[in-house]
Amino acid sequence: MAQYRHYFYRSMAVTMCMVGRERVPIHELVEKTSWTNTSDMLECNSYVKKVLQQMEGLWIRLDALSKDMPPLVAETMWAHCYEQVLMELMEGFASVRKCNPSGRGMMKMDLTAIVRGIKKIHPVDLGASTGTTSGSHDDGTITQVSCTQESIDSYINAFYFDSRADLMEWIENNVSNYYERWMVGLALVGVGAKMRPHEKDKLKKDVIALFR
């Protein structure tokens, strides 16, 4: 029963966190953003405001419905939606194919603004959900990934590795914290960006091998 409830909340969160009338997933908004600005930006990207507007409207609806629902249902739904937003941000950041150091700094700024904004709308009780979502690797292996502000921040920091060896060591130490596709993206867009095609292929294979 507990597993079914978790699946229900998580499925609802995916839909509830889509943005605007067009119901656009957050990760798509992130992917469509330019991350190659040559100068430091003082404000967050425009999608941040859209995400927070979506979450504000969501809490208003949950709060109104809470009068007719069992205790903690609204809080549990809110916690799952918060985690879904983090998962969408992580998916979006990991899917970006062109990004410079200023862009990485913007990712950190956007992440902080969204987390603070959501908690300002209404506090998040992370104990109301499991804090994990399930996913599969390319070989069909199922894994449980915990997506937090700290784990996303750590992932963004890993793009600053200059050494292949240092990056591979970090990936090896964190294989249980991220999906395979995220780590492959990190390697190819990070240290792999300046590699020759055959070196990139070798790097990708070495990263995938860590998940087998």
Side-chain angles (χ1 to χ4, degrees):
M1 182 63 71
Q3 185 176 9
Y4 173 79
R5 283 198 300 268
H6 175 79
Y7 176 78
F8 170 79
Y9 280 119
R10 181 57 61 184
S11 299
M12 290 292 293
V14 171
T15 302
M16 289 180 169
C17 292
M18 291 183 178
V19 177
R21 294 180 179 178
E22 298 81 9
R23 313 304 294 162
V24 181
I26 294 171
H27 72 84
E28 290 187 11
L29 298 178
V30 175
E31 291 173 44
K32 293 177 181 178
T33 299
S34 174
W35 301 100
T36 56
N37 294 313
T38 56
S39 60
D40 293 334
M41 297 181 65
L42 301 178
E43 296 183 356
C44 297
N45 285 297
S46 59
Y47 76 87
V48 172
K49 183 178 180 180
K50 295 179 181 178
V51 171
L52 293 179
Q53 288 176 335
Q54 178 68 26
M55 294 302 287
E56 183 175 17
L58 172 59
W59 176 251
I60 290 174
R61 294 194 300 274
L62 286 174
D63 189 39
L65 291 171
S66 64
K67 302 178 181 62
D68 301 317
M69 295 188 296
L72 298 180
V73 170
E75 297 291 344
T76 302
M77 191 72 255
W78 182 245
H80 277 278
C81 287
Y82 170 76
E83 290 176 354
Q84 180 62 29
V85 169
L86 292 183
M87 186 64 65
E88 291 279 346
L89 288 174
M90 182 69 234
E91 188 70 47
F93 292 155
S95 299
V96 171
R97 289 295 170 256
K98 290 184 178 180
C99 187
N100 60 17
S102 294
R104 298 297 171 196
M106 280 303 303
M107 287 180 177
K108 284 173 166 286
M109 185 184 298
D110 290 354
L111 171 64
T112 300
I114 288 176
V115 169
R116 288 179 177 175
I118 291 176
K119 292 181 178 180
K120 184 177 180 180
I121 293 169
H122 184 74
V124 179
D125 179 12
L126 293 179
S129 68
T130 63
T132 62
T133 58
S134 62
S136 61
H137 298 308
D138 291 342
D139 66 348
T141 304
I142 303 298
T143 186
Q144 293 284 332
V145 171
S146 176
C147 204
T148 64
Q149 180 182 6
E150 292 74 22
S151 67
I152 299 175
D153 195 64
S154 180
Y155 180 89
I156 296 173
N157 286 338
F159 278 95
Y160 293 103
F161 282 119
D162 292 324
S163 164
R164 184 188 194 280
D166 290 341
L167 175 64
M168 290 300 295
E169 180 181 2
W170 185 87
I171 293 177
E172 185 173 8
N173 292 333
N174 288 275
V175 290
S176 62
N177 299 327
Y178 305 90
Y179 293 140
E180 176 186 308
R181 64 181 181 275
W182 294 349
M183 291 301 207
V184 170
L186 167 64
L188 298 182
V189 181
V191 297
K194 298 179 180 180
M195 290 182 176
R196 297 175 180 177
H198 72 278
E199 293 175 326
K200 277 190 174 184
D201 288 341
K202 178 64 166 58
L203 177 62
K204 180 179 179 179
K205 290 177 180 177
D206 288 346
V207 171
I208 293 174
L210 295 176
F211 287 84
R212 298 297 187 261

